[in-house]
Amino acid sequence: MPHQDVRVRFAPSPTGGLHLGGVRTALYNYLFARQHGGKFILRIEDTDQTRFVPGAEEYIIQCLEWCGLTPDEGPHVGGPFGPYRQSERKHLYRQYAEQLIENGWAYYAFDTPEELEAKRRQHPNFQYDTQTRSQMTNSLTLPAQQVKDWLEEGRPHVIRIRMPEHKTLHIHDLIRGEVVFHTDQIDDKVLLKADGMPTYHLAVVVDDYLMQISHVFRGEEWLPSTPVHLLLWENLFGIEYMPKWAHLPLILRPDGHGKLSKRDGDRLGFPVYAMDWTDPFTGETTRGFREMGFLPEAFLNMLALLGWNDGSEQEIFALDELTERFSIDRIHKAGARFDFEKAIWFNHEWIKRLPITHYLETIKAFFHQHHIALPNDTQLIPTLELIKDRCRLLTDFVEQGKFFFVPPETYDWSAIQKKWSPQMKACFEAWEQELANIHPWKAETIEQSLISTATQHALKKNDMLLPLRIMLVGGKFGPPVFQIAEHLGQRETQQRIHHALSHLE
RNA sequence: GCCGCGUUGGUCAAUCGGCUAAGACGCCUCUCUUUCACGGAGGAAUGACGGGUUCGACUCCCGUACGCGGUACCA
């Protein structure tokens, strides 16, 4: 009897940084599992030993953790269906491949990679399939004794699926509906490689069965190989155990055409990976969303809406809201272009919505990276609150807030040059002395004081504002200037005016 | 080449036969703020093409075009 519980898996192969498309796949899996009270499983698909990259698995786990997509089972937390790393399950697969051979659904093939390559050079459209396998070196064409001998002497071989002839395969996809394939068009995929490792096709079916996976959410690039999986399910475990398929639309590059790749990010100046990834072989680091100043809430929100919407006008969703609203039938069929500007917009919205305390530590870390010393939290938080609305990325806090903690190194004098005069200088010099008499040190009282000093010098307050801003901030930006002065404190404000005046004639 | 999937503004997209085709991002204008942003109000901008079906097609069907994916002892 097929199992009823919802069990879904995110099954990346640990070959490098975690692509945003991968995170979205993980997200949809996670949402579906949570929505149905099911389990979200992490399985590491490391059957290609030549592509093993040290550190990649740990990195993937950290990315999921940063996003808040915590697996219920996985190589790092264990679980009742382990091991969760395919390389550690190697011994499991061969028996299934051999079972298929016994039933006539697979065969041994002794063609070497070199032979196959030569064949493909000769016939560019060569495919190892129902038509061509009779000309190849395999257990279907060789005498039984020959096969037996070769196997006994350990001759390298693979096991290939034997595609039936002239059959139509119907696959029901939760997103696309009925998809039909013809077996004559499909090649005899390798199931077990010469090194004894299964290929994706065998491993995915065996493990989904053994791990009792109920639904498979994976990228659309897998759709063409689904008929192979279907046949395997049919002949190994029974179609009634087969998970439901949902092939997700691809995330496309913003310009031109094609799947979004790491290279597009490098070229166009935006991240593609969830977090910074350093290639252990070249030492080269690729920037990630996290390090670029994205909140995980925004990152996930943006990804969720790339290919799905709930039909309303709402665009901002927290993870628990997504869990509530998510539905497979509202997933788009067509691929979506990634738009970095929109991603930034999502981040801005989340920065504005969340309390500073929610991401205080992250901001502090960014300041520390720039060697900027910060005051204690009770003083820091109100200051950050003041600039919050103008920060689209968390790294913007450094840019927008630095002047609160470090006096300006340069001044944008050009902004005030036209209106600057000796009278104005005299007025500021007088006001500088006045600062000590301002009580309490509040934006309103500071403003009143400036007004009265300006009036005494036959100047207008409004003409004083920009020069004051330049003296305190260095440039033409930031919150209202008297609030800046309030946050700076009397002493610091006085010092900055004094210092600025000594540099102005 | 073959197979599969897809096609509403520049981008994300709503629409499940009644459309004068939502909304968001971005862009432009105005407004607020005597800084820069935020906010607020407006604006320009869309159904690939050709046939059907229908009283009526963006919506259904069939072609064509275009795009993408697959076609590995990679996943």
Side-chain angles (χ1 to χ4, degrees), chain A residues 161-383:
Chain A
I161 188 171
R162 182 181 184 175
M163 270 289 146
E165 291 176 40
H166 318 311
K167 271 188 74 177
T168 303
L169 265 21
H170 295 260
I171 286 159
H172 184 78
D173 184 88
L174 263 15
I175 296 172
R176 282 148 227 284
E178 203 84 324
V179 183
V180 180
F181 296 89
H182 300 98
T183 53
D184 298 315
Q185 247 82 231
I186 305 166
D187 63 324
D188 286 353
K189 287 258 179 278
V190 170
L191 301 178
L192 199 77
K193 301 187 257 190
D195 65 0
M197 277 287 194
T199 59
Y200 173 83
H201 306 294
L202 212 218
V204 77
V205 170
V206 169
D207 286 343
D208 283 349
Y209 172 74
L210 262 17
M211 295 183 181
Q212 298 181 12
I213 299 303
S214 62
H215 301 258
V216 170
F217 292 83
R218 66 196 340 183
E220 194 186 349
E221 68 267 28
W222 291 112
L223 191 53
S225 53
T226 311
V228 176
H229 308 327
L230 174 80
L231 249 23
L232 258 24
W233 274 102
E234 238 171 41
N235 299 297
L236 239 25
F237 309 117
I239 205 85
E240 64 274 25
Y241 290 96
M242 187 171 75
K244 304 254 190 309
W245 307 107
H247 289 94
L248 271 22
L250 265 17
I251 296 179
L252 277 12
R253 38 197 281 200
D255 70 326
H257 307 286
K259 259 200 297 191
L260 182 68
S261 75
K262 168 184 125 33
R263 289 193 155 278
D264 298 314
D266 297 345
R267 187 170 50 83
L268 271 15
F270 58 79
V272 168
Y273 292 159
M275 311 187 318
D276 272 12
W277 165 253
T278 302
D279 186 295
F281 304 117
T282 65
E284 187 195 340
T285 296
T286 307
R287 298 285 277 161
F289 278 87
R290 185 232 242 168
E291 288 77 7
M292 208 153 239
F294 276 83
L295 284 162
E297 288 83 354
F299 183 52
L300 250 29
N301 192 164
M302 176 274 292
L303 287 176
L305 275 279
L306 212 53
W308 173 87
N309 72 82
D310 80 336
S312 76
E313 287 184 7
Q314 184 175 345
E315 290 197 273
I316 303 299
F317 295 93
L319 192 54
D320 55 354
E321 269 179 302
L322 288 172
T323 302
E324 202 179 294
R325 310 276 185 85
F326 182 73
S327 68
I328 297 176
D329 37 80
R330 291 205 63 90
I331 296 177
H332 246 256
K333 290 182 176 68
R337 291 230 167 110
F338 174 65
D339 182 352
F340 188 50
E341 279 301 323
K342 183 97 186 209
I344 290 179
W345 176 81
F346 274 109
N347 205 53
H348 191 194
E349 291 302 310
W350 276 99
I351 286 178
K352 286 188 288 183
R353 257 159 243 251
L354 292 170
I356 294 276
T357 48
H358 190 87
Y359 45 80
L360 217 212
E361 294 309 314
T362 311
I363 297 180
K364 281 183 177 174
F366 282 126
F367 274 107
H368 291 145
Q369 271 174 31
H370 286 80
H371 310 290
I372 296 167
L374 262 18
N376 60 46
D377 289 359
T378 51
Q379 206 183 323
L380 177 62
I381 292 171
T383 301

Side-chain angles (χ1 to χ4, degrees), chain A residues 443-499:
Chain A
E444 305 76 49
T445 49
I446 301 166
E447 182 173 3
Q448 282 312 312
S449 168
L450 182 72
I451 290 173
S452 92
T453 307
T455 310
Q456 285 163 32
H457 286 76
L459 288 165
K460 280 182 291 198
K461 177 200 84 171
N462 289 345
D463 294 328
M464 309 283 287
L465 292 178
L466 199 53
L468 178 58
R469 173 177 298 279
I470 300 299
M471 291 177 201
L472 301 183
V473 178
K476 260 173 84 168
F477 67 95
V481 72
F482 295 111
Q483 288 192 39
I484 292 174
E486 178 185 320
H487 280 255
L488 247 25
Q490 190 260 111
R491 195 180 152 76
E492 181 67 17
T493 302
Q494 194 262 329
Q495 279 177 2
R496 289 197 187 183
I497 293 172
H498 187 81
H499 182 263

